[in-house]
Amino acid sequence: MNDNFTTDDGVSTLSLKAREDYVDTPTIHALADRAKAYINTGFPLHLRGPAGCGKTTLAFRLAAELDRPTMYLVGDEAMTTADLIGKQSRYQHRKVVDRFIHSVLKYEENVEQQWSDAKLTVACREGYTLIYDEFTRSRPEANNVLLAVLEERLLALPASNGAGEYVKVHPKFRIIFTSNPREYAGIHNSQDALNDRLITLDMDYVDEASETAITSARAKLSSELTAPIVRLVRAYRESGEFEQIPTPRATIMIAKMVAARKLKPSVSNSEFVQLCLDVLEGKCMHSGHSENKVPQYREALMKLLQEQCGGRRQVNGSKTRAASNSRAIGNRDVCASAS
């Protein structure tokens, strides 16, 4: 559970607690142990991996174990250095009217700019943990201010902030970066000087046992019912018959619907087959430029459904009915999409 609260600077922070459905398999535990060793030593950590591999989940878990207030920041094309350190954001008006002598009116008015700290400044000063998610979506020049923070442990502020030019970084300040090297939309190459200061751990999709345990916990579904769903999505991921790689998020979506609708994850269940097509076919035609490949992608999906979700595990009669049922759903929807 995450509790929000606000600092005196008006910047929101998070008080993180371990989520109840967090799964700690041997594979995940080994990676987390490596990451904790670097974080606890004071190194800035960079978790790099494809969408859906668990980068942000692990970052939040590590921050929760540090047991310090946490700030969360998401990289963006429009982000500037001011969004990291702060800026002159408002004016303060002060008016004094002196009527001490009734025949004399003294009137004074001052207008002053007020400096507002942003998340990096507050985290550095107070010793908070900062999670900088998808930091390569920000332009490299916006992140230049981090170089001195990570090396000299000094944050340089504009002299106009009224509080001095430098903030000494608190000893308990920690920062965790995440990025997706496979994403191409809105991604910038990070400068070498910043990469050189980071400990980078490359992540990938977890093993089948871990993915089954994670999906079962998130969907509140038994591992017996989760297993064929995981096998299906992993086989689809390995097939290459897609434009957008199907991540464990797709597995969790299907499993949650199976739990909610009380479905049997079998190719003989027409509602389950349609559910899988609804979730997974969008990965086939992600860019909208492959309409002519719809039958090819559909055929590949239906084959995987039969292989991984009971089609080949049935007795002969049931297998025939299941295959006929899946072909009927496939043919109906292909016709519908073409009409």
Side-chain angles (χ1 to χ4, degrees):
M1 180 178 177
N2 302 334
D3 299 320
N4 294 324
F5 64 96
T6 304
T7 69
D8 293 336
D9 301 285
V11 181
S12 295
T13 63
L14 298 169
S15 178
L16 299 178
K17 303 183 187 306
R19 55 187 301 168
E20 294 180 357
D21 58 0
Y22 182 83
V23 174
D24 194 18
T25 66
T27 301
I28 298 172
H29 187 79
L31 176 63
D33 274 354
R34 288 165 56 204
K36 280 188 287 187
Y38 294 123
I39 282 286
N40 290 336
T41 307
F43 287 110
L45 182 68
H46 175 204
L47 302 175
R48 182 172 61 188
C53 71
K55 303 182 299 294
T56 306
T57 298
L58 179 57
F60 271 78
R61 176 71 176 195
L62 294 170
E65 293 191 5
L66 288 171
D67 198 25
R68 296 283 295 168
T70 300
M71 292 183 155
Y72 179 66
L73 184 66
V74 181
D76 183 81
E77 170 74 23
M79 183 176 289
T80 65
T81 300
D83 296 308
L84 291 172
I85 65 173
K87 57 187 174 181
Q88 304 284 6
S89 62
R90 61 183 182 271
Y91 291 88
Q92 181 181 44
H93 295 261
R94 185 180 63 177
K95 183 169 68 174
V96 178
V97 178
D98 186 353
R99 297 183 183 274
F100 184 72
I101 302 175
H102 68 86
S103 60
V104 178
L105 174 62
K106 183 180 179 181
Y107 176 82
E108 295 179 2
E109 183 173 6
N110 293 323
V111 179
E112 298 176 351
Q113 281 189 311
Q114 294 295 299
W115 174 268
S116 295
D117 287 335
K119 292 180 179 179
L120 177 61
T121 303
V122 175
C124 286
R125 180 184 292 119
E126 304 296 332
Y128 295 162
T129 301
L130 178 64
I131 298 174
Y132 194 171
D133 207 10
E134 302 291 353
F135 82 101
T136 53
R137 293 187 182 275
S138 302
R139 300 180 66 84
E141 56 266 28
N143 294 326
N144 283 339
V145 69
L146 290 164
L147 301 180
V149 169
L150 302 180
E151 186 72 22
E152 286 75 31
R153 307 293 289 180
L154 284 176
L155 173 61
L157 299 178
S160 59
N161 77 326
E165 294 187 7
Y166 302 102
V167 172
K168 186 175 181 181
V169 176
H170 194 287
K172 291 188 177 181
F173 169 74
R174 297 292 185 271
I175 185 167
I176 305 171
F177 298 84
T178 76
S179 72
N180 180 353
R182 301 185 189 178
E183 182 66 74
Y184 63 90
I187 295 297
H188 299 279
N189 290 324
S190 177
Q191 57 268 60
D192 290 344
L194 180 55
N195 289 334
D196 191 46
R197 289 160 165 78
L198 310 180
I199 298 290
T200 298
L201 298 184
D202 284 309
M203 299 178 60
D204 207 340
Y205 299 113
V206 295
D207 59 276
E208 183 174 334
S210 296
E211 189 169 346
T212 301
I214 291 168
T215 305
S216 181
R218 295 287 179 88
K220 295 180 172 56
L221 190 68
S222 71
S223 57
E224 181 182 1
L225 295 177
T226 301
I229 302 171
V230 172
R231 289 197 303 268
L232 169 66
V233 177
R234 290 180 68 89
Y236 184 35
R237 193 181 302 149
E238 294 167 3
S239 72
E241 295 290 340
F242 50 77
E243 290 193 356
Q244 179 189 6
I245 190 166
T247 74
R249 288 193 180 98
T251 313
I252 293 170
M253 289 177 186
I254 295 172
K256 283 186 174 181
M257 286 301 300
V258 166
R261 300 286 297 169
K262 295 180 172 56
L263 302 177
K264 180 181 179 181
S266 168
V267 73
S268 63
N269 187 309
S270 60
E271 187 176 352
F272 172 74
V273 172
Q274 189 62 63
L275 165 63
C276 293
L277 294 178
D278 289 342
V279 173
L280 296 176
E281 270 197 321
K283 316 300 181 186
C284 299
M285 299 163 283
H286 176 60
S287 66
H289 300 304
S290 55
E291 293 182 3
N292 58 327
K293 294 185 177 180
V294 172
Q296 172 189 328
Y297 288 146
R298 175 64 64 91
E299 182 180 355
L301 267 175
M302 298 308 300
K303 181 179 179 181
L304 289 173
L305 272 163
Q306 292 176 24
E307 291 175 351
Q308 304 300 331
C309 297
R312 293 184 178 178
R313 294 175 173 79
Q314 306 287 338
V315 296
N316 290 337
S318 298
K319 175 182 174 181
T320 302
R321 287 194 299 273
S324 299
N325 184 36
S326 62
R327 283 198 300 271
I329 293 175
N331 292 336
R332 181 187 67 210
D333 282 1
V334 168
C335 292
S337 64
S339 62

